[in-house]
Amino acid sequence: MITSNMADNESVECITEHERILQEIESTDTACVGPTLRSVYDDQPNAHKRFMEKLEVRIRNHDREIEKMCNFHHQGFVDAITELLKVRADAEKLMGQVTDTNRRLQDAGREVTAQTEEVIRCRIQQRNMTTTVERLQLCIPVLEMYSKLKEQLESKRYYAALKTMEQLEKVYIPRVSRYRFCQIMAENLPKLREDIKDISMSDLKDFLESIRKHSDKIGETAMKQAQQHRTFNSVVQKHDSGMGYTKPVYSLNGRTPTQHNGLAAEEGIDQPEEEGVEEDQSEEEVLTAQDLVDFSPVYRCLHIYTVLGDRETFENYYRKQRKKQARLVLQPQSNMQETVEGYRRYFNQIVGFFLVEDHVLHSTQGLLTRAFTDELWNMALSKITAVLRTHSSYCSDPDLVLQLKNLIVIFADTLQGYGYPVNRLFDLLFEIRDQYNETLLKKWALVFREIFELDNYSPIPVETEEEYKSVVSRFPFHDAEIEKQDFPKKLPMSQSVPQIYVQVKEFIYASLKFSESLHRSWTEIDDMLRKSTNLLLTRTLSGCLQHLTKKPHIGLTELVQIIINTTHLEQACKYLEDFITNITNVSPETVHTTRLYGLSTFKDARHAAEGEIYTKLNQKIDEFIQLADYDWGMPESDGQASGYLMDLINFLRSTFQVFTHLPNNCNDHAAMSGKVAQTACMSACKHLSTSLMQMVLDSELKQISMGAVQQFNLDVIQCELFASSEPVPGFQGDTLQLAFIDLRQLLDLFMVWDWSTYLADYGQPTSKYLRVNPSTALALLEKMKDTSKKNNIFSQFRKNDRDKQKLIETVVKQLRSLVNGMSQHS
């Protein structure tokens, strides 16, 4: 029962599905029937057979419906055919009438058609003419603009020509671009642009050549006006003393450097009125770079390249060419260091170059940049300092170095006013200042030597009050005792002293000239002056004094005068310090103030002169001693001293009288004068004693007789008398006589023949012959022994002589034993 119900349910579902499929086939387009039919095969088994059965039933139903419809409309169809056959005859008749009417209408319309075609042809011509006029109206502005372009090119109005080209390309030619002549125009415009670029570049090259030629004049004018402005300010503002910096009034466009506003070349620029300028300066026309150089080519070329979209190429070319010109400008002439004009032309060209760059920088937008000009200036600054350092080193004229310094200051001030840093130039000036001081020192060395050469090395004679005032006005000399003396009188120093003092002041002035305008404080200038003056004193003047004392023609009198001169110059050093203080207004009590080294300089010179006195005095003594002509074998003395020795003593007496001229006041610097004379006298006596001793003990002297010893003793007695006569005051007791004590004890030993005492007391502090050395006594005794043997052939036959000879031999043996004992002990 359950199985039967399930079969009935499946049959009902299948019939329903087939109905749905048939409805889809009837209502769906033929192209989409495929999926529907496929579903028949996808159903349950035998579904296809049942579907076909269902389909046949549906077809039969439709056939019966069609048949019913045809039967219903058949009578109407038959009636319609009958009516149609009736109107066929009327239709044929109407067709004939229409054909006849058409024939007659065609005949009548042929003339109208001909007229109509003529009208159409005229209308076409009229339309073509209208179109032509319209096209010509479009082309005429293009042709007019092109003609205008040609005129602008011929009149060299290139910037306007470029604007015209731009209008042609963007406005006019696109309207008539289909015409061939416009295509030719469009193709020709790039060539015209290139021509304009070439022409403007040629003008730029001419401009670059022009500014190269005029840079010298631009720089000359700028530096001259800067110098006038600085001079005027230094007069108006005396409290600045030229140390404050003010910007120059010179500018490339008639404005001060801070008034650039980047105006184009075509815009007018008014000249400013200068206030507070002297009448003659205000009447003088201020030249500008535009008076010398036409800047329009560079502006025009810049605008042209900007319009053409090739500004970067122009900027690179301009900067490259200016760099090349900068290198040429910075290349100095080979003989530039010979004259100041060479340096002036060099500076003028550089100033002109960089003022042009400054003008182009501020009057154009972006052609030059501050970074580029700074780079160019730093390169130039390195080259300038190297050139100046090299060329100035060859300059030996201080005046030329000073002129060079002034040029550098004006050069630096001019460029500093336009924003260029110039600190390295002022650093270079410090190097040149040292060189300037060196040239001054060399120049003043010649001046000092000439003064020393022309000096007579004698006290200055003063006949009248005017002469005295003339001397003291040049040299700070004050002596109450001399001022009380009546005229005529003499000043202790020689003529070279005031001359040297004046020249030292002149040197200070010359050194000050270089320190001016260096933008340094007076404290720094004071330090510079003191250091350079110290160099003058400690090196130049000291060297000249050392050279002077070594000259052969400078005698003892001159050396004494030199000592006097150096003493007075030493005392004048404090006045030189006051002189520098009055110039700089810097207190000498300032912590960093440098002191003058004049005291040590003149003290060293005085010591050198003193040493030279001792040396020359000893040399003179040697000259006299070389005149000695002793007869060492003489049997007895002449009874009087030798002539050469008396001349020597007279020379010493007159020489030591010269020392009375040495200053001996209460001044501490002159307190050494008495010691100089005493030292010279003691040195002379010691040298004389040593020379006489060496004469007796000379190894080439083989024999000495007792008569020669007696004669030699007379000469030594004269020396002792000279020493005891106090040739120089100040010696205590017999101090000076002690110089001859060695000779005196030796001669006494031989004159008295007191060998027993000598040998007995030898080595005792109380010995009478304490200063007699055994080797000295032995050497002289052997010379006398040889003489005794030679001159007394028959002495062996006389008992006294034989005894004396034996005594000599005995003494010789004992002296030798003493000498040997001394050598062994040592």
Side-chain angles (χ1 to χ4, degrees), residues 729-774:
F731 286 108
Q732 296 181 355
D734 56 353
T735 303
L736 193 59
Q737 291 176 278
L738 293 177
F740 300 98
I741 188 63
D742 292 352
L743 274 175
R744 170 48 49 210
Q745 291 185 6
L746 179 64
L747 292 176
D748 285 349
L749 176 61
F750 280 85
M751 295 291 294
V752 180
W753 207 254
D754 193 8
W755 292 104
S756 58
T757 304
Y758 173 76
L759 294 173
D761 295 342
Y762 177 76
Q764 299 296 326
T766 58
S767 174
K768 181 180 179 181
Y769 306 102
L770 181 64
R771 307 286 298 182
V772 178
N773 191 291

Side-chain angles (χ1 to χ4, degrees), residues 207-220 223 320-334 336 341-357 376-377 379-385 387-388 391 411 415:
F207 165 78
L208 293 174
E209 184 65 25
S210 174
I211 60 175
R212 181 182 175 186
K213 293 179 180 178
H214 291 87
S215 291
D216 183 55
K217 184 63 177 177
I218 294 173
E220 179 184 359
M223 291 182 65
K320 181 179 179 181
Q321 293 301 315
R322 289 300 280 167
K323 277 188 177 181
K324 289 182 179 179
Q325 289 187 342
R327 293 188 179 95
L328 292 176
V329 167
L330 296 172
Q331 191 65 32
Q333 297 180 354
S334 58
M336 186 177 71
E341 290 303 320
Y343 289 107
R344 195 188 309 277
R345 286 192 297 270
Y346 182 67
F347 288 136
N348 288 342
Q349 291 177 356
I350 297 175
V351 170
F353 177 89
F354 281 99
L355 262 62
V356 168
E357 292 302 279
L376 202 61
W377 172 243
M379 181 269 290
L381 202 56
S382 299
K383 180 66 175 178
I384 292 169
T385 53
V387 167
L388 294 179
H391 282 73
F411 171 74
L415 289 175

